């Protein structure tokens, strides 16, 4: 039985009154404890924690089965992980740190790809999996990792993210117990931290969803628009003007690809290092409309090697946005502080509070930190 079916049937049984509530709760607790809690561990505090545990085990068991048919060293590692899952493995912070370290280890495998790092595109995967959140309907966000499913995987805004999803799939096979949502957002945290950015508080608890939970097209921002669009899209996620500007500073890293979004080029001269240069360049360079056949974008008059999207440029045109952009250009520490906070908030969108395995987010160590 799938996790959601299991949960639904439990809910129906409880609400239909076919058994006394206390009896049902006990039956449920006993049956769950059998395969989600190691004998020596204390009983989890809430049923939600139990359900999440079951979800993780069920999801992980499916992947573990798949991993066994894998070949080479991955298969051996997957086998170890699968054995842990079978032994009612409950991951600790150290286990998540191992995943963090593993993700960090692939950033530099990029070779000739882009600027020699996969970190920017992995950050983009984390952001796009979270930025679909709608605070009114409480749908979307990082909880169910629905970008795995069509049509969301094929939405125009997600063009090129198959590269990041494929990289993460390899890691998922090595650590089948982690949910995709936790893996992708932990990847985003690792990307920021390993590109010299701030520490981004993070905690696990997302569960894998199903295709029916995928979000409709059009929830992510369109780079060719203006201030109203930014406020509408990010407002729907629950962000204010200051947070919109801080989040936009993510464009310190990475680049646009003409065969993906249509736009072309990097925003800064150091596209694999988190800095406040995105804001400095917005103020210090003279930006002119690029003359080309592609979509409307700006280029720096001096070198013609950098770019800004219309949605980036609006941060120095709109009076309120500009105030925050100026503050971040003047003070990198302030940008780092606000960027960390807003990314932590972004990556948690759509996850019900009861699902978190810890009340306070963790600070993950950098890969080279003792
Ligand atoms: C403000 C609204 C935003 C718009 C309109 C926007 C738009 C875009 C576009 C068009 C690209 C180029 C995609 C490609 O051609 O490969 C891109 C890349 C990127 N975006 Fe954004 N983005 C926004 C916000 C963000 C946020 C909030 C973050 C993270 C905090 C972010 C991080 C990135 C990164 C790291 C890349 C580079 C990916 C790569 O190098 O492959 N963006 N964005």
């Amino acid at each position: 039985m799938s996790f959601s079916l299991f949960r639904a049937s439990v809910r129906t049984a409880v609400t239909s009154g076919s058994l006394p509530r206390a009896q049902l709760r006990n039956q449920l607790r006993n049956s769950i404890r059998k395969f989600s809690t190691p004998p020596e561990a204390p009983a989890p505090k809430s049923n939600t924690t139990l359900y999440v545990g079951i979800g993780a085990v069920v999801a992980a068991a499916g992947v573990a089965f798949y991993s066994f048919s894998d070949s080479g060293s991955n298969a051996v590692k997957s086998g170890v992980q699968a054995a842990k899952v079978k032994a009612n493995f409950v991951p600790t912070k150290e286990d998540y740190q191992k995943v963090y370290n593993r993700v960090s280890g692939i950033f530099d495998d990029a070779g000739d790809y882009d600027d020699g790092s996969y970190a920017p595109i992995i950050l983009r995967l984390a952001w796009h999996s979270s930025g679909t959140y709608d605070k009114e309907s409480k749908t979307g966000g990082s909880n169910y990792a629905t970008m795995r499913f069509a049509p969301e995987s094929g939405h125009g805004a997600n063009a090129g993210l198959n590269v990041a999803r494929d990289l993460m799939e390899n890691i998922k096979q090595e650590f089948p117990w982690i949910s995709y949502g936790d893996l992708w957002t932990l990847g985003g945290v690792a990307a920021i931290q390993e590109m010299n950015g701030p520490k981004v508080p993070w905690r696990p608890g997302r569960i894998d969803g199903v295709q029916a939970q995928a979000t409709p097209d059009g929830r992510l921002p369109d780079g060719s628009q203006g201030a109203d669009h930014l406020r509408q899209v990010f407002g729907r996620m629950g962000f204010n003007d200051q947070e919109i500007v801080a989040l936009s500073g993510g464009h310190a890293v990475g680049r646009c690809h003409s065969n993906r979004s249509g736009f072309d080029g990097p925003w800064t001269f150091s596209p694999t290092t988190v800095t406040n240069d995105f804001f400095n360049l917005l103020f210090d360079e003279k930006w002119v409309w690029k003359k080309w056949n592609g979509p409307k974008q700006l280029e720096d008059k001096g070198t013609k090697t950098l770019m800004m999207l219309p949605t980036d440029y609006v941060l120095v045109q709109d009076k309120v946005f500009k105030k925050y952009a100026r503050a971040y250009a003047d003070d990198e520490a302030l940008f780092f502080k606000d960027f960390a906070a807003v990314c932590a908030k972004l990556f948690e969108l759509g996850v019900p509070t009861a699902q978190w395995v810890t009340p306070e987010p963790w600070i993950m160590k950098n890969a080279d930190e003792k």
Side-chain angles (χ1 to χ4, degrees), residues 276-316:
N276 65 341
D277 283 359
F278 169 79
F279 299 108
N280 284 320
L281 288 159
L282 268 174
F283 285 104
D284 296 349
E285 295 303 316
K286 178 143 180 56
W287 294 96
V288 294
W289 293 106
K290 184 179 170 82
K291 293 192 182 64
W292 72 326
N293 285 332
K296 268 184 88 171
Q297 67 175 63
L298 297 115
E299 66 182 7
D300 69 306
K301 202 171 174 215
T303 71
K304 295 186 186 307
T305 58
L306 302 179
M307 68 91 59
M308 288 288 165
L309 300 167
T311 42
D312 299 316
Y313 196 52
V314 87
L315 303 181
V316 289

Side-chain angles (χ1 to χ4, degrees), residues 120 124 127 221 223 234 247 251 254-257 261 267 309 311:
R124 189 159 192 248
W127 135 237
F234 283 94
L247 278 169
H251 286 168
R255 59 170 57 237
C256 293
H257 304 79
S261 59
W267 289 268
L309 300 167
T311 42

Side-chain angles (χ1 to χ4, degrees), residues 350-368:
V351 187
T353 309
Q355 268 182 229
W356 298 121
V357 307
T358 156
E360 287 301 319
W362 297 331
I363 298 295
M364 305 306 288
K365 287 184 186 147
N366 279 18
D368 62 0

Side-chain angles (χ1 to χ4, degrees), residues 37-89:
T37 314
E40 69 279 11
K45 287 193 195 80
S46 74
N47 280 352
T48 315
T49 316
L50 293 171
Y51 298 149
V52 172
I54 291 174
V57 170
V58 170
V63 178
F65 172 76
Y66 171 66
S67 305
F68 272 132
S69 60
D70 195 3
S71 62
S73 67
N74 271 359
V76 176
K77 282 187 196 154
S78 303
V80 172
Q81 295 297 335
K84 283 185 180 175
V85 168
K86 278 190 176 162
N88 296 333
F89 172 60

